[in-house]
Amino acid sequence: MALLPILEYPDPRLKKVAAPVTSFTPDLVRLVRDMAETMYAAPGVGLAATQVDVHKRVIVIDVSETKDDLLVLVNPEIVAAEGEAECEEGCLSVPGYYDKVTRAARITVQARNERGEPIERTAEGLLAVCIQHEMDHLIGKMFVDYLSPLKRARLAARQRKKQRLAG
Ligand code: NI
């Protein structure tokens, strides 16, 4: 297992669109394990392959308090969505920044796990938010893209300052 480096906003690689997984190989199982380890170590509740510069439709999520309920979604598709809910979100690719985003309150997602077995989950609350947030990463979209232009400009200035300080 290995910890993978996480790309930080506004890295242009975060805008890449991920390709569907076409074969379920030991490499995929290894990627999922490494992504889970990286997410738990961060610590975070979700991680998309895009964030570790792997452009495949793979997500890991664990919103449990005990951190023992890993959900692996390969090639996820939302097949039903209803309602609206506003939730404060953060992202491992935008460390230290949190803001409110409105998303569907309840969703049903179909996917496969890392062994290719089909999964269907209906989710609400934090899990629903997290699935939608991570699926956005797979199409090159980030939660900060939902913010007002003013807020995004402030965030861009903050990131530039941070990068200058980092040399
Ligand atoms: Ni994120």
Side-chain angles (χ1 to χ4, degrees):
M1 298 221 282
L3 290 181
L4 306 169
I6 298 175
L7 301 178
E8 285 198 16
Y9 179 82
D11 192 307
R13 291 171 290 180
L14 287 165
K15 289 197 170 286
K16 286 195 189 179
V17 176
V21 170
T22 52
S23 52
F24 291 82
T25 62
D27 278 352
L28 178 68
V29 173
R30 197 170 310 121
L31 171 68
V32 164
R33 280 197 200 134
D34 288 347
M35 284 175 59
E37 193 187 13
T38 302
M39 172 185 75
Y40 287 125
V45 294
L47 187 70
T50 306
Q51 293 175 275
V52 293
D53 202 23
V54 175
H55 301 281
K56 291 180 185 163
R57 292 184 61 81
V58 179
I59 287 169
V60 294
I61 290 173
D62 190 341
V63 296
S64 71
E65 284 193 10
T66 43
K67 298 292 164 209
D68 58 359
D69 188 18
L70 182 66
L71 177 63
V72 177
L73 299 175
V74 177
N75 297 341
E77 300 295 340
I78 290 175
V79 295
E82 61 183 49
E84 265 190 11
E86 190 184 58
C87 183
E88 188 159 84
E89 297 185 23
C91 179
L92 293 176
S93 293
V94 197
Y97 187 84
Y98 302 88
D99 217 322
K100 285 180 181 154
V101 178
T102 301
R103 299 191 187 267
R106 186 180 161 93
I107 58 159
T108 300
V109 65
Q110 288 180 347
R112 304 225 166 226
N113 66 14
E114 70 275 35
R115 293 180 299 279
E117 297 157 348
I119 299 171
E120 182 174 303
R121 286 286 284 269
T122 295
E124 52 192 13
L126 179 58
L127 181 58
V129 169
C130 198
I131 291 170
Q132 292 171 84
H133 175 120
E134 302 309 332
M135 283 184 66
D136 271 355
H137 278 300
L138 302 180
I139 55 167
K141 192 166 182 180
M142 298 193 48
F143 84 106
V144 296
D145 295 330
Y146 293 99
L147 304 179
S148 68
L150 176 64
K151 279 187 174 175
R152 269 209 311 278
R154 277 198 204 129
L155 177 63
R158 172 185 177 275
Q159 294 297 109
R160 278 196 300 274
K161 190 174 166 195
K162 208 173 130 184
Q163 277 162 2
R164 271 202 309 277
L165 291 174

